[in-house]
Amino acid sequence: MQYNKYIKDAALVSEIGLGAWQLGNNSGWQGMSEKEAIELVQKSLEYGINFFDTAPNYGRGSSEERLGKALKVVDRTKIVINTKFGHSDSGITNYHSNYIRESLEGSLKRLQVDYVDSLIIHSPPIEYLDGTKNDHYEIFEQLIDEGKIKAYGASLDTYESMQLLMNTTNAGVIEAFFNILQQDAARAFNLAKEKGVGIIAKIPLDSGWLSGKYNAESTFQDIRKRWSKEDIQTRAHLVDRVKEIVQAKDNLAQKAISFCLGHKAISTVIPGNINIAQLKTNVESINNPVSTEIIKKLEEFYLNEVQPLHLPW
């Protein structure tokens, strides 16, 4: 496991982190008991993972609670925790600046910690990202001064939103939607490196498509039922093209994660893990790198074949 710079005054972070959406119950994904969740976190620590990404609305607060229980016995200075603001533990969306403190205090209580390393706005509308027009960032700066957070930022999907945030605020973190089929965020990577902004690569497996498990006949009953039959057929075709390019009949997920790891602007990648076996496979991506040549081919594939399709998430 390699460890990369994330934010100022925090530990270096493992190149593969743990996305904690699945730790919670009623998450809109496959369910997990508290015992299974805690065991998953403990196993991730054994693998060298020290970065944990969660949010108040993951399992209506249960993700943070379970993560807090699992990490209680770990040296706090050795781990890095990122949580979010905007989607509440009650299921309500609230981006108002006067809710920031209440949201954070709830997260700190559930996580059983005195501070989080980073607090990011959870997939906000773009109008909240302009630091010249919102007082959110003054509050975030106050929270840094008070020692309750070390950095702030946002979870974003596009180059335009990332650019706006970095050019109008002192944000130190962006959780970017980035994978082989979603590469728009890469246009902001040079700016992030220039400004010292840590990048968390979210959804590296494109909600499971880049695991290689699905095809044109696949159906979904969980949160992924949003896709139409045409969407499924399109993605299946694109995944077949990815397999051709990376020349991988097996371990497509590892190649997809390694594609993200091949971008130096990225501090950590957070694939979802629904069990320990999947966690192990994801961590083993570090032993299955993608060459610079293949990365270039995948970037060209995105520009020529994927970007024009405007794939829905």
Side-chain angles (χ1 to χ4, degrees):
M1 186 73 72
Q2 299 290 320
Y3 295 84
N4 302 320
K5 183 179 179 181
Y6 178 55
I7 56 174
K8 183 180 178 182
D9 299 328
L12 298 179
V13 297
S14 51
E15 58 188 330
I16 294 180
L18 186 72
W21 182 359
Q22 291 87 345
L23 297 186
N25 53 33
N26 301 317
S27 65
W29 209 264
Q30 182 170 333
M32 183 178 291
S33 70
E34 180 173 301
K35 180 176 181 292
E36 290 170 329
I38 291 175
E39 288 176 349
L40 187 65
V41 175
Q42 291 172 337
K43 182 59 70 171
S44 71
L45 291 164
E46 292 177 20
Y47 286 142
I49 290 173
N50 75 336
F51 179 84
F52 301 90
D53 173 82
T54 187
N57 69 313
Y58 292 173
R60 298 292 179 90
S62 59
S63 169
E64 290 181 322
E65 289 174 349
R66 293 171 174 184
L67 185 60
K69 288 180 181 179
L71 296 177
K72 189 66 176 176
V73 298
V74 181
D75 183 346
R76 179 67 184 88
T77 65
K78 305 294 186 184
I79 57 174
V80 177
I81 300 174
N82 176 66
T83 195
K84 305 180 184 74
F85 152 77
H87 292 252
S88 73
D89 60 315
S90 65
I92 296 172
T93 301
N94 185 350
Y95 291 110
H96 294 298
S97 59
N98 60 10
Y99 180 59
I100 294 174
R101 285 184 176 274
E102 180 182 343
S103 177
L104 176 60
E105 292 297 340
S107 292
L108 295 177
K109 183 177 180 180
R110 287 186 291 271
L111 287 163
Q112 301 182 60
V113 295
D114 297 323
Y115 70 93
V116 291
D117 298 271
S118 48
L119 176 67
I120 63 176
I121 311 177
H122 199 166
S123 303
I126 196 166
E127 59 263 28
Y128 288 99
L129 301 177
D130 190 336
T132 68
K133 298 178 181 179
N134 292 279
D135 63 353
H136 295 62
Y137 304 97
E138 296 173 13
I139 297 171
F140 288 139
E141 293 287 351
Q142 291 170 8
L143 292 171
I144 290 176
D145 292 341
E146 294 167 17
K148 293 192 173 183
I149 67 174
K150 293 184 177 182
Y152 58 85
S155 177
L156 304 173
D157 295 348
T158 67
Y159 162 71
E160 285 79 10
S161 59
M162 293 171 70
Q163 183 184 49
L164 177 60
L165 180 73
M166 288 189 283
N167 283 337
T168 63
T169 76
N170 291 322
V173 178
I174 291 177
E175 185 166 304
F177 187 12
F178 182 71
N179 62 55
I180 293 171
L181 299 180
Q182 303 283 350
Q183 297 184 39
D184 185 58
R187 293 196 285 149
F189 285 176
N190 284 337
L191 181 61
K193 286 193 291 185
E194 176 186 322
K195 290 181 172 290
V197 174
I199 299 289
I200 309 163
K202 65 176 180 177
I203 322 179
L205 301 183
D206 199 56
S207 298
W209 275 104
L210 293 170
S211 69
K213 295 187 297 184
Y214 307 124
N215 58 43
E217 303 305 316
S218 295
T219 58
F220 303 91
Q221 300 304 318
D222 52 33
I223 192 172
R224 295 171 295 182
K225 64 183 179 182
R226 63 183 181 271
W227 292 319
S228 68
K229 186 172 181 59
E230 290 73 22
D231 292 336
I232 290 171
Q233 291 173 338
T234 298
R235 266 188 163 79
H237 167 70
L238 293 174
V239 170
D240 286 341
R241 288 283 294 120
V242 171
K243 290 178 180 178
E244 292 175 12
I245 295 168
V246 302
Q247 299 177 348
K249 294 181 180 179
D250 301 310
N251 294 329
L252 180 61
Q254 292 183 355
K255 292 293 187 182
I257 293 169
S258 292
F259 168 80
C260 297
L261 295 175
H263 292 76
K264 299 303 181 184
I266 293 174
S267 298
T268 186
V269 181
I270 51 169
N273 309 274
I274 60 173
N275 54 49
I276 289 175
Q278 195 173 83
L279 172 67
K280 181 176 185 292
T281 296
N282 289 341
V283 170
E284 287 174 349
S285 300
I286 61 180
N287 300 318
N288 196 3
V290 175
S291 69
T292 302
E293 179 184 2
I294 293 298
I295 288 176
K296 182 174 177 57
K297 287 183 178 180
L298 289 170
E299 291 172 342
E300 292 172 349
F301 159 71
Y302 171 76
L303 290 173
N304 297 327
E305 300 181 44
V306 183
Q307 188 179 43
L309 298 176
H310 302 290
L311 286 180
W313 181 70

